[in-house]
Amino acid sequence: MDSGLTRDRLIAILMLLPSVILVAIFVYGFIAWTGYTSLTDSNALQQLSGLPAQFIGLKNYNDLFTGGLNLRFRMDMVNTVFFTIMFILVCLAVGMGLAILLDQKIKGEAIFRTIFLFPMALSFVVTGVVWKWLFNPTSGLNVLPTIIGLPAGGFRWFISEERWWPFAWQDVPLILSIIFLGIAIFAALWYWSKRRSQTAALLTALALLLLAWITFGSPRSLSGLNPERPEQHGFNVALIAVVIAAGWQMSGYTMAMYLAGLRGISEELREAARVDGCSELGVYRYVVFPLLAPITLSAMIILGHISLKIFDLVYTIGGGDNLYIDMPGINMFFTTFRSNQFGQGAAIAMLMLIMVAVVIIPYLASQLRSETKL
Amino acid sequence: MRTRSLFALLVAAALMLGVFGLASAQDAALSGDLEIFSWWTGGGEEAGLNALIARFKEMYPDVNIINSAVAGGSGVNAKAVLTTRMLGGDPPDTFQVHAGAELNSLWVKAGRMEALNDIYEANGWMEQFPAGLLDLVSDDAGNIYSVPVNIHRSNVMWYVPGKLEEWGVTVPATLDEFVNETCPTLQAAGVIPMAIGENWTQSHLWESVALAVLGVEGYNGLWDGTTNWTSPEALAVWDMYGKVLDCGNEDMNALTWQDASKLVADGAAAFNIMGDWAAGYFLVDLALTPNEGFAWAAAPGTDGVFMMLSDTFGLPKGAPHPENARAWLSFLGSAEAQDIFNPLKGSLPANTTADITNAEKYNAYFQSAYEDWTSNVIVGSQRHGAVAPAAFDSGFLNIIAQFQGDRDSTTAAANAAALAIQTGIGG
């Protein structure tokens, strides 16, 4: 009805305008600029000489995934995936455990809560330095058993060169397509069981296509690397040290989130479950955990984007050039400012942005939807 | 009336100074800011820089010095800030840069540096600085772009004489002797034959190995394109380097260069190849006596060759206070400044008229190093920016890290060759 430019609306627009303009320039404008730079051969010499950057299409991206000199980037990708999964699992498990323990109405809860939250107050740099000392294989935690007369530990922590679950980079497309196949089959079965045959039929067709492609086509050829020389990757055991340090820092925060969630579950609900004959474990299994699901999702999103962007912790622990715990953020910094290759650095930055976006955007979208529902 | 006459007097005085052109008086008239950009933020380096600034302040009391040193990462962070500032049109008045490719292949090539020939001529430095060093800071047309402050040697091997006797080994003269005789003997005695630190110190070790295996001509050929990176000789460098790594400590990636040097001082390791900043560490931090608590030799197979690096300062185009920067650079190259700075930092003076024979200023190590500097064949250090552009040095660290894990000489050589092409070496 009052679609015209009322006074209220005008004020609202004027109030919003500065921040809209600033965000448009300094966030989205710069993302776009980075995106464009990633498509050029921009480098320090060229820029200092005042020469224009040449547009080279997706060459930087191609180099990162297939170039012989960019093994480091591919190691980063593998490291990031393993680190993110383990870091989130550790934080969720420890955070949930601590929260449940604190929720038992124990004495001095406030003190414990503060203690568990304390690591959050430290910067990752401090955490990194402290854990670097603790993890030093000849003088750190490994020496601990000798106090009670046991032999010193032999694990080499963050400088370990051990690898578990080895695979060749050439097999990554194959592994990914098998994972997709698994998801498609699982989803198809789920929809069949829900009797939504149209969606299920579509998914089944997709699964069959994938299966055919895996059997007849060769996803291996997608890797772009020489199939004769398998490039070995795997879970670098050194990452365990980083997971422990990062988990130590962020578990308290996860605990606080879960504790808030637990406090939101009314005692009546638990009582009702107990009256219905639920055991104490059952109360958690059927009442508490399902109600905590949204918290788990929020925690996963927050931890996920921290781990994908992690830089300082790994930099201080590994000194920058320890490839076994290297992360894309460090590689991006070195490629851009040490190798002076701005174009390729921008390409790594864009890939990091895409990874974070994959995690964040569905979350934001679901938040937006639930907000509009209200 | 009185103020006016005072003003007139001042003007007259200024004019007179101008007419007589007294150098000192003219310099004393300098004022305004002078921003000095470096990565000297700790230990002897910082002490040396501060001493230089204090002396400069006495000479030019009206100049306000801004010490913009950026800490960390052996200059990585500082170089990142510098690149950003230069690109953003906000250069400092003068900045630290290694002599050689680090200066030439980026700043000079991009035309961002002022030629300093007038300073060199006015101070008679053409004769005072070694010609080979001047070549490293000049372009082909003979324009000189920076003022060297110090000289460091990269290919030095450190050890403790008493300990070697105890273990029954002598300083190996060649790498073959080291890996085939010295190393097994020491390992059997439970001693680490070669103390090695994190990634960049491994790269530092590599250049001494490369120099030993390839010789001076072959090593220089890597940088001018006459030595093929995938030739059998270059492959042999990686094979030998792998053998030396096998003689190293297992926790190398967890140690800084100081940690690695300390292994030698503590008697846990026999040898350590590190630049001669380690001399300062042994002398000052660990309070050891030269030739007793620690001793040195050229890295095996590199006797008679001095692999050098040099910190220099230049004047970027568009510096806000070029006159102050020129005064600073004139001071920096003088024997006086070099004698203030180098004993504190623990390096050799680049200016040959410096008071090197003064044993109070320059200790036994530097007396002997200076002899080598003036008598040996000089080559440039790759790790420290003398022979290859920053893009190569940075990418090479990745190759070193990869090799440390897989020990695959063929891949390392192929990658180094690809990196050399990509970064325009030998082209």
Side-chain angles (χ1 to χ4, degrees):
Chain A
M1 256 196 274
D2 54 349
S3 58
L5 203 61
T6 64
R7 197 181 141 77
D8 256 9
R9 208 167 261 200
L10 190 69
I11 289 176
I13 291 174
L14 281 177
M15 290 297 180
L16 276 176
L17 205 58
S19 59
V20 168
I21 291 175
L22 289 176
V23 169
I25 295 174
F26 289 104
V27 178
Y28 296 98
F30 283 1
I31 289 177
W33 182 248
T34 307
Y36 174 72
T37 306
S38 75
L39 302 176
T40 67
D41 66 346
S42 174
N43 62 65
L45 176 61
Q46 176 194 63
Q47 296 299 308
L48 284 167
S49 311
L51 297 170
Q54 300 295 316
F55 185 83
I56 54 167
L58 293 173
K59 184 171 184 302
N60 284 324
Y61 295 90
N62 193 26
D63 281 353
L64 286 175
F65 284 101
T66 64
L69 289 176
N70 288 298
L71 170 93
R72 179 170 188 162
F73 174 76
R74 297 188 284 275
M75 278 179 93
D76 295 343
M77 283 312 197
V78 176
N79 282 348
T80 299
V81 170
F82 280 116
F83 175 71
T84 303
I85 293 171
M86 292 182 64
F87 170 64
I88 291 178
L89 285 181
V90 164
C91 284
L92 291 184
V94 175
M96 170 86 86
L98 290 176
I100 289 174
L101 289 179
L102 279 189
D103 198 38
Q104 305 305 313
K105 305 188 181 58
I106 53 164
K107 263 189 189 166
E109 189 211 306
I111 297 175
F112 283 113
R113 210 171 46 208
T114 318
I115 290 176
F116 294 147
L117 257 178
F118 242 158
M120 251 273 288
L122 296 177
S123 99
F124 265 132
V125 175
V126 178
T127 315
V129 172
V130 171
W131 281 100
K132 180 179 180 158
W133 291 336
L134 288 175
F135 283 141
N136 186 308
T138 46
S139 60
L141 289 174
N142 279 357
V143 184
L144 218 51
T146 59
I147 295 174
I148 51 166
L150 294 171
F155 188 54
R156 300 179 58 218
W157 298 106
F158 66 96
I159 60 162
S160 170
E161 284 151 24
E162 216 177 313
R163 244 178 213 160
W164 293 346
W165 314 310
F167 59 87
W169 182 262
Q170 282 86 339
D171 292 332
V172 167
L174 181 69
I175 294 168
L176 284 180
S177 41
I178 288 175
I179 289 173
F180 285 131
L181 179 67
I183 292 173
I185 291 173
F186 182 79
L189 288 174
W190 195 75
Y191 278 113
W192 281 120
S193 73
K194 293 271 166 186
R195 308 205 175 281
R196 289 174 57 181
S197 44
Q198 210 177 355
T199 326
L202 260 173
L203 282 164
T204 314
L206 184 70
L208 285 174
L209 267 175
L210 266 171
L211 190 66
W213 186 55
I214 291 169
T215 350
F216 298 115
S218 58
R220 281 188 63 130
S221 66
L222 272 189
S223 81
L225 290 179
N226 179 2
E228 302 299 317
R229 290 180 69 93
E231 185 178 292
Q232 289 301 318
H233 289 270
F235 168 66
N236 294 313
V237 177
L239 281 175
I240 291 175
V242 187
V243 169
I244 292 176
W248 177 81
Q249 175 137 16
M250 296 309 293
S251 290
Y253 176 69
T254 325
M255 175 210 72
M257 290 179 78
Y258 274 129
L259 202 54
L262 284 170
R263 293 289 146 83
I265 298 169
S266 70
E267 196 53 34
E268 285 80 15
L269 264 177
R270 301 190 195 206
E271 279 305 317
R274 287 188 194 113
V275 168
D276 286 346
C278 220
S279 69
E280 204 51 39
L281 266 179
V283 171
Y284 278 100
R285 169 75 180 77
Y286 295 106
V287 179
V288 175
F289 288 159
L291 285 170
L292 286 180
I295 306 259
T296 306
L297 182 69
S298 305
M300 279 173 73
I301 302 293
I302 290 169
L303 296 171
H305 91 270
I306 289 178
S307 84
L308 289 174
K309 293 189 299 191
I310 198 153
F311 175 91
D312 30 14
L313 182 73
V314 183
Y315 193 92
T316 38
I317 291 184
D321 285 300
N322 182 341
L323 299 195
Y324 292 90
I325 56 171
D326 200 50
M327 296 290 163
I330 295 177
N331 194 0
M332 184 266 160
F333 173 67
F334 281 157
T335 306
T336 313
F337 290 112
R338 199 171 70 181
S339 295
N340 292 328
Q341 291 168 329
F342 302 152
Q344 196 161 79
I348 300 176
M350 288 310 286
L351 289 168
M352 287 175 67
L353 179 73
I354 290 169
M355 287 196 301
V356 175
V358 166
V359 175
I360 294 274
I361 287 178
Y363 174 71
L364 290 181
S366 77
Q367 288 283 306
L368 210 62
R369 219 176 296 142
S370 60
E371 261 174 43
T372 43
K373 258 187 222 157
L374 288 174
Chain B
M1 199 64 190
R2 185 170 286 176
T3 49
R4 188 172 289 177
S5 59
L6 197 66
F7 180 66
L9 199 72
L10 276 173
V11 169
L15 276 175
M16 259 164 60
L17 286 175
V19 168
F20 291 116
L22 289 168
S24 61
Q26 217 174 30
D27 290 344
L30 287 177
S31 65
D33 293 340
L34 169 65
E35 188 183 4
I36 303 166
F37 190 95
S38 74
W39 56 87
W40 285 337
T41 54
E45 310 178 331
E46 189 188 14
L49 180 62
N50 286 338
L52 282 179
I53 289 174
R55 178 71 189 101
F56 188 76
K57 205 79 206 133
E58 283 171 27
M59 293 161 66
Y60 304 94
D62 293 334
V63 175
N64 176 36
I65 294 181
I66 304 165
N67 180 4
S68 304
V70 177
S74 57
V76 182
N77 302 343
K79 287 171 199 168
V81 173
L82 180 66
T83 310
T84 317
R85 287 187 55 176
M86 293 288 278
L87 281 171
D90 176 31
D93 292 312
T94 179
F95 63 83
Q96 178 188 1
V97 60
H98 283 133
E102 190 178 307
L103 167 73
N104 295 320
S105 68
L106 185 61
W107 306 115
V108 172
K109 202 168 171 188
R112 290 297 186 112
M113 304 303 288
E114 297 278 4
L116 303 172
N117 295 46
D118 51 337
I119 298 182
Y120 273 80
E121 274 151 20
N123 292 293
W125 289 348
M126 292 296 198
E127 288 74 43
Q128 295 180 7
F129 283 90
L133 180 58
L134 287 185
D135 283 346
L136 280 178
V137 294
S138 314
D139 63 10
D140 293 339
N143 296 310
I144 308 174
Y145 290 101
S146 72
V147 177
V149 189
N150 62 2
I151 303 290
H152 274 299
R153 185 176 192 178
S154 160
N155 61 329
V156 191
M157 185 163 75
W158 308 91
Y159 60 93
V160 181
K163 290 282 177 186
L164 291 196
E165 266 170 52
E166 199 178 299
W167 299 318
V169 292
T170 51
V171 179
T174 64
L175 280 174
D176 280 325
E177 184 188 341
F178 174 73
V179 298
N180 295 329
E181 291 163 38
T182 320
C183 176
T185 313
L186 288 166
Q187 276 173 335
V191 179
I192 303 161
M194 181 65 74
I196 306 174
E198 60 191 325
N199 180 268
W200 77 262
T201 71
Q202 295 160 25
S203 173
H204 183 103
L205 172 64
W206 183 91
E207 67 183 12
S208 279
V209 173
L211 177 61
V213 174
L214 295 171
V216 171
E217 205 173 313
Y219 175 81
N220 285 335
L222 290 174
W223 319 116
D224 63 22
T226 53
T227 303
N228 189 334
W229 278 92
T230 50
S231 63
E233 296 78 34
L235 263 174
V237 172
W238 289 100
D239 289 339
M240 179 56 85
Y241 172 65
K243 285 180 196 162
V244 178
L245 280 189
D246 289 339
C247 295
N249 40 306
E250 292 219 318
D251 60 349
M252 56 181 80
N253 283 338
L255 304 185
T256 62
W257 72 264
Q258 289 100 329
D259 295 335
S261 296
K262 195 162 186 296
L263 285 180
V264 173
D266 290 348
F271 299 102
N272 173 225
I273 293 181
M274 184 38 62
D276 56 12
W277 42 94
Y281 178 69
F282 287 128
L283 276 164
V284 181
D285 298 66
L286 302 181
L288 300 173
T289 342
N291 286 322
E292 195 176 307
F294 74 100
W296 56 90
T302 66
D303 199 30
V305 188
F306 190 106
M307 189 184 284
M308 62 79 65
L309 57 129
S310 169
D311 289 302
T312 74
F313 279 80
L315 171 60
K317 280 187 181 154
H321 311 94
E323 288 314 310
N324 292 351
R326 280 174 186 277
W328 167 255
L329 294 174
S330 295
F331 166 62
L332 218 51
S334 68
E336 182 197 1
Q338 307 235 327
D339 284 336
I340 292 175
F341 179 79
N342 288 304
L344 286 168
K345 153 120 172 136
S347 47
L348 292 173
N351 187 325
T352 52
T353 59
D355 194 11
I356 186 73
T357 49
N358 187 337
E360 272 174 32
K361 284 182 181 150
Y362 296 97
N363 60 59
Y365 169 75
F366 289 104
Q367 304 283 348
S368 98
Y370 195 77
E371 217 177 281
D372 291 344
W373 165 243
T374 43
S375 62
N376 282 3
V377 181
I378 309 290
V379 297
S381 153
Q382 174 262 322
R383 171 87 297 279
H384 304 284
V387 287
F392 180 89
D393 296 340
S394 174
F396 197 70
L397 288 174
N398 292 348
I399 297 174
I400 289 283
Q402 194 182 336
F403 182 82
Q404 199 259 330
D406 64 18
R407 300 289 162 89
D408 181 346
S409 299
T410 323
T411 306
N415 282 342
L419 182 65
I421 292 169
Q422 195 187 69
T423 54
I425 282 179

